[in-house]
Amino acid sequence: MSMTVSVRVAECDDDLLEAARIDLTAFGLPFARTPTAIESLERSLQWRRTTTTYLAELEGRAVGTARVYDMALSTPGAMSVPVSGVGDLGVLPGFGGRGVLRALVVRMLDDARARGHVGAALYASEATIYGRFGFGPATRSRRVRIPVARAAMRDDVSIAVGRTEILEPTEWFGVLPELYGRAAARRGGEVSRSSELWANVLCGSSRTPGTRPGEWEATPGADDRFCMVHHDPTGAPVSYGLYSIEESWEPEGPAHSMTVHELVAVDAAAELALWQALLTLSLVRHVDAWVTTDSPLLYALEDRWAPSVSGEHDKLWLRIVDPVKALSMRRYRIAGDVVLSLTDGGPAGEPLTVALSVASGGATGVVVEYDGPGQLTMGVAELAEVLLGGGSVALLASVGRVTEARPGEAARLDAMFGWSPLPYVTHAF
Ligand SMILES: CC(C)(COP(=O)(O)OP(=O)(O)OC[C@H]1O[C@@H](n2cnc3c(N)ncnc32)[C@H](O)[C@@H]1OP(=O)(O)O)[C@@H](O)C(=O)NCCC(=O)NCCS
């Protein structure tokens, strides 16, 4: 006999601790047992309280959990849409395969719709889990290792002038969130960080500070990270990099390695100025970083073969629950009219056909529900792959995941949807 899973929102600290226990256990991390660990977990409840935590129960016993952050997801042309950012999703070992994940996802998507969110966004732990729920990979990141000895820039590239300096941790909160917000407008895929998320990013979850901004200042940077900032000639910050360095002294000399945790810039020239500063630090032999697949760095190095690629990842997966709103809240590269048949675009997963009309390049589109055949047919997962301006409708059509009523429709949609720079997500959640 199959048991029904019920999902409820956590109401009290005991619920939140239960959720933390389930989540850590699902990810194979020991639940806090020592007094210090319990203390830090209790502190982390402060920011857990600012999100919606779900508990899934089987016969009254909590066995699964997920957390939702309200986020703004950037879309092409300096716009954004509200989304449910899903994180910390886990099911207790021993209770897998009974539909607990499914019940959590169904509930979160219903709530996303009810809140007026355009969809739900998450980092997938495995590529094979979320497609069945209509999620599609919406961004792409590349892991590179750059040997500093081969990292000279070409002399014909545009690098921002100004000054680059280390920012003291006490100044991080004053500079980084505002700069991150400005940089996010450049491309699709970036998600907003609430002040609680910023506290978590800059202070670490074990040092989550209090609710007053003043309390944050003592804690950021209390780990091994440095922050380098580039200022333009007027003194305005235009790019930053958070990085740490691992020492290594070898017989032939220093061979430290640098890990860049995030590099955020308002434009390509500001990004290159920051890279130039990072790639010329003494003692460092190589630099590891995630970059966009269209990173200016890859086009600015004299030795284009210098960065070795150790992986590529899609990072952000998106499940669109409101295709009309999603298509309305971005700009398009060129004018055009197109009718899209979304096989599962309706609220209950039923087909939905929409007509998109864009009057001029760089404009938003008018989107209405449409009664008639589509020029292109796809699922919401395919729409998620191309909505933010990356991905390729033509490639999806070539493997049969998008159907064209007439040859050439997919290429036409690519011309409208494509955007530069490509979508990217800096925040990991
Ligand atoms: C991944 C996890 C959440 C799955 O939970 P679950 O309750 O066993 O999943 P369900 O029983 O609800 O499965 C729902 C569907 O997903 C599929 N599925 C579940 N886990 C899967 C996996 N690891 N890979 C591929 N498919 C998976 C099931 O086959 C099922 O498919 P169907 O309904 O189409 O037949 C759970 O194994 C877990 O907590 N893992 C460790 C933490 C983790 O990876 N969390 C995800 C973070 S993004």
Side-chain angles (χ1 to χ4, degrees):
M1 192 183 78
S2 72
M3 285 179 286
T4 331
V5 184
S6 60
V7 177
R8 68 181 176 90
V9 171
E11 282 159 9
C12 56
D13 284 359
D14 280 351
D15 282 350
L16 295 178
L17 277 172
E18 184 65 359
R21 186 182 70 80
I22 294 168
D23 181 49
L24 291 170
T25 311
F27 278 92
L29 303 167
F31 185 64
R33 293 191 186 97
T34 65
T36 333
I38 288 173
E39 195 191 320
S40 77
L41 197 64
E42 279 170 357
R43 273 203 299 272
S44 84
L45 288 181
Q46 286 182 319
W47 66 279
R48 278 186 180 262
R49 288 190 200 107
T50 68
T51 63
T52 307
T53 295
Y54 292 92
L55 282 171
E57 295 174 335
L58 267 175
E59 291 190 322
R61 177 176 173 181
V63 296
T65 185
R67 183 143 43 133
V68 166
Y69 309 83
D70 280 348
M71 287 174 161
L73 170 72
S74 68
T75 60
M79 299 188 73
S80 69
V81 290
V83 293
S84 299
V86 178
D88 302 340
L89 202 167
V91 175
L92 269 188
F95 295 92
R98 300 197 207 172
V100 177
L101 165 75
R102 177 172 288 278
L104 282 163
V105 171
V106 167
R107 171 68 185 267
M108 288 188 292
L109 295 181
D110 283 349
D111 287 0
R113 249 179 236 109
R115 284 178 179 163
H117 288 182
V118 152
L122 52 74
Y123 269 46
S125 59
E126 292 176 70
T128 46
I129 303 179
Y130 293 100
R132 63 172 49 76
F133 302 116
F135 284 84
T139 67
R140 199 130 201 97
S141 298
R142 186 175 288 172
R143 185 75 176 167
V144 291
R145 166 164 288 200
I146 307 151
V148 164
R150 295 171 62 192
M153 303 252 182
R154 295 168 62 105
D155 53 19
D156 58 352
V157 291
S158 310
I159 302 177
V161 293
R163 72 194 153 81
T164 312
E165 62 183 14
I166 294 280
L167 199 66
E168 288 306 319
T170 48
E171 300 169 295
W172 290 5
F173 278 111
V175 175
L176 273 45
E178 187 276 333
L179 176 48
Y180 176 96
R182 258 190 296 146
R186 256 178 101 188
R187 59 171 92 248
E190 298 285 15
V191 293
S192 60
R193 286 173 171 163
S194 62
S195 47
E196 291 78 19
L197 275 181
W198 269 110
N200 193 39
V201 168
L202 297 185
C203 307
S205 55
S206 61
R207 284 182 295 278
T208 303
T211 46
R212 283 178 292 125
E215 291 174 45
W216 294 339
E217 284 167 20
T219 41
D223 54 21
D224 61 354
R225 287 175 303 171
F226 294 92
C227 181
M228 181 95 82
V229 172
H230 184 78
H231 299 268
D232 73 10
T234 72
V238 289
S239 49
Y240 75 79
L242 276 172
Y243 65 95
S244 50
I245 288 180
E246 197 178 325
E247 271 191 312
S248 173
W249 297 96
E250 292 184 2
E252 66 272 22
H256 296 8
S257 58
M258 176 193 288
T259 301
V260 178
H261 303 289
E262 58 186 57
L263 196 151
V264 167
V266 298
D267 59 28
E271 185 168 339
L272 289 182
L274 218 275
W275 275 119
Q276 194 172 49
L278 293 177
L279 292 167
T280 49
L281 281 192
S282 60
L283 309 181
V284 174
R285 187 172 287 181
H286 61 250
V287 174
D288 291 310
W290 285 106
V291 295
T292 64
T293 52
D294 60 347
S295 166
L297 178 68
L298 307 175
Y299 296 83
L301 292 175
E302 186 73 52
D303 181 350
R304 291 188 65 132
W305 293 356
S308 56
V309 178
S310 58
E312 241 179 71
H313 207 280
D314 33 56
K315 304 266 184 189
L316 192 87
W317 286 62
L318 181 63
R319 185 356 169 145
I320 297 165
V321 298
D322 186 343
V324 170
K325 197 162 167 184
L327 288 162
S328 310
M329 293 176 75
R330 59 155 291 180
R331 295 181 195 280
Y332 293 88
R333 194 160 52 184
I334 58 167
D337 295 288
V338 67
V339 178
L340 298 179
S341 261
L342 300 166
T343 49
D344 51 357
E350 72 278 18
L352 175 79
T353 301
V354 295
L356 162 70
S357 178
V358 180
S360 62
T364 55
V366 175
V367 189
V368 289
E369 289 188 28
Y370 184 83
D371 194 10
Q375 291 159 311
L376 287 149
T377 304
M378 64 179 84
V380 286
E382 284 71 32
L383 182 60
E385 286 207 34
V386 297
L387 180 75
L388 301 179
S392 160
V393 186
L395 272 175
L396 291 169
S398 75
V399 299
R401 291 177 55 196
V402 169
T403 311
E404 305 172 285
R406 279 200 329 260
E409 297 287 12
R412 199 164 68 83
L413 202 64
D414 276 332
M416 289 174 69
F417 272 49
W419 201 261
S420 178
L422 290 172
Y424 183 77
V425 63
T426 300
H427 180 67
F429 61 106

